[in-house]
Amino acid sequence: MATPDSVYEPEGPDGSALRRRELGQTSARSLLLTVLGEFVLPAGEPVWTRTLLEVLGALGVEAKSARQALARTAGEGLLTSDRDGRRVRWSLTPAGSELLSDGAARIYGFGRPTTGWDGRWLVLLASVPESRRRLRHRLRTRLAWAGLGSPAPGVWVSPDPGKEARVAAVLDELDLAGSGYSFVGHYGGIGRADDIVAQAWDLDVVERAYSEFLDEFGPHLAPASAASCAAAATSAPGAAGPATDGGGDVLARQVRLVHAWRRFPFLDPELPAELLPERWAGSRAAELFTTLHERWDAPARAAWADLARRA
């Protein structure tokens, strides 16, 4: 199975290898991707370099690192630039829009565990020779991103048979369609399903990550925070700086919130409630993410629009 201390970064359109970063690592490029997905993609408009530098600067990214992240992301075919005198503005390429749209759909469609599981499993047999390590890595990362776990070499499982079409698409994309076999059915009478779960996914690691998320963002549920956000949403355009939440930058907080949450679709296989421990921290974390994201959405977008106007 994919190591649980990593986070997925989608494969670039140039075919570069899938990248995985340690949890909690906030590189300039990964923060830039979060900003692009959260604000640039929905707006559907070009953004000036100055706007991106200001937002990333509020997140602790130095201007030099931010410019390098822009150049690298453009080099991967996700951004394109044009000039107006000495100023540069950036637009998402079709590949960039598609990649971020897919990521957004997974991030915002991800949350509470499902109930009413019918007990069926999807089992995939797919292996790649050790000599083809890059292909093995890509297959492993893609299947883990789809929520499958590997209890044994070459064996992948999911309690959601509905993912079979997505798994087939992964195999097709990697030219492995003729090397895989799938089965759908109920667990038999040999062994225990709990043991399969323990071998396929390290839920203790996932729960600790959720607990860290709750510890970091839980304090923002205080009523004063909501009041400050409401005031920020009505702040006049052209103010000295972005909208604020309790003295902090609500736009930056929204980016940090989404950036912290985007790792979980790779870490958490979204098992049905019947296969999860009692009082699963993921359920509480999903509720917290939804509440804060909705609370901060309007003031954060107002702050982004103000930055874009002033640029």
Side-chain angles (χ1 to χ4, degrees):
M1 61 178 288
T3 54
D5 61 343
S6 56
V7 60
Y8 174 84
E9 281 195 9
E11 183 178 19
D14 61 350
S16 59
L18 290 162
R19 305 179 186 276
R20 297 154 69 191
R21 299 185 180 276
E22 293 182 359
L23 287 177
Q25 183 178 5
T26 52
S27 71
R29 180 179 175 277
S30 61
L31 282 171
L32 172 62
L33 288 175
T34 301
V35 172
L36 294 175
E38 186 69 10
F39 298 105
V40 178
L41 177 67
E45 298 176 352
V47 57
W48 295 106
T49 301
R50 175 182 170 183
T51 301
L52 294 171
L53 293 185
E54 286 195 42
V55 174
L56 292 174
L59 295 163
V61 178
E62 296 181 354
K64 179 180 179 181
S65 296
R67 292 182 185 277
Q68 290 174 341
L70 280 167
R72 177 183 169 191
T73 305
E76 293 173 342
L78 305 181
L79 286 174
T80 185
S81 63
D82 64 271
R83 288 185 173 273
D84 183 0
R86 298 181 62 182
R87 299 197 304 166
V88 177
R89 59 186 172 188
W90 301 86
S91 302
L92 290 169
T93 63
S97 294
E98 181 180 0
L99 183 147
L100 292 175
S101 295
D102 290 346
R106 182 70 193 270
I107 289 170
Y108 298 116
F110 179 84
R112 300 170 184 82
T114 59
T115 57
W117 179 47
D118 64 6
R120 294 187 306 150
W121 289 80
L122 167 66
V123 179
L124 171 71
L125 303 182
S127 61
V128 178
E130 175 66 26
S131 59
R132 305 183 68 185
R133 291 187 177 182
R134 183 171 180 271
L135 181 59
R136 290 184 62 179
H137 173 72
R138 295 175 69 191
L139 176 65
R140 184 169 62 247
T141 309
R142 291 284 190 91
L143 292 178
W145 175 243
L148 277 71
S150 180
V155 180
W156 293 84
V157 298
S158 169
D160 181 2
K163 292 181 176 179
E164 187 172 19
R166 183 174 181 182
V167 169
V170 170
L171 295 178
D172 284 341
E173 290 168 8
L174 299 180
D175 292 327
L176 292 172
S179 304
Y181 307 90
S182 64
F183 306 85
V184 173
H186 289 79
Y187 196 85
I190 301 175
R192 300 189 311 158
D194 289 348
D195 293 335
I196 291 293
V197 171
Q199 293 172 36
W201 300 281
D202 194 338
L203 295 184
D204 289 340
V205 170
V206 179
E207 183 141 36
R208 284 199 297 273
Y210 275 131
S211 296
E212 292 171 2
F213 180 88
L214 289 166
D215 290 342
E216 180 177 358
F217 293 99
H220 293 299
L221 282 177
S225 178
S228 297
C229 269
T234 59
S235 60
T244 59
D245 168 28
D249 182 353
V250 68
L251 192 157
R253 288 192 179 185
Q254 184 78 311
V255 173
R256 291 191 184 100
L257 177 74
V258 175
H259 190 77
W261 186 251
R262 59 180 264 196
R263 62 189 178 178
F264 290 111
F266 181 64
L267 289 178
D268 186 349
E270 282 194 292
L271 301 179
E274 292 86 345
L275 296 175
L276 291 172
E278 293 185 7
R279 289 188 52 77
W280 175 241
S283 302
R284 303 193 300 278
E287 292 176 1
L288 175 63
F289 172 76
T290 299
T291 298
L292 291 181
H293 190 270
E294 291 178 353
R295 177 184 296 178
W296 293 343
D297 186 65
R301 295 194 184 282
W304 174 265
D306 186 48
L307 281 175
R309 281 193 298 268
R310 292 190 287 113

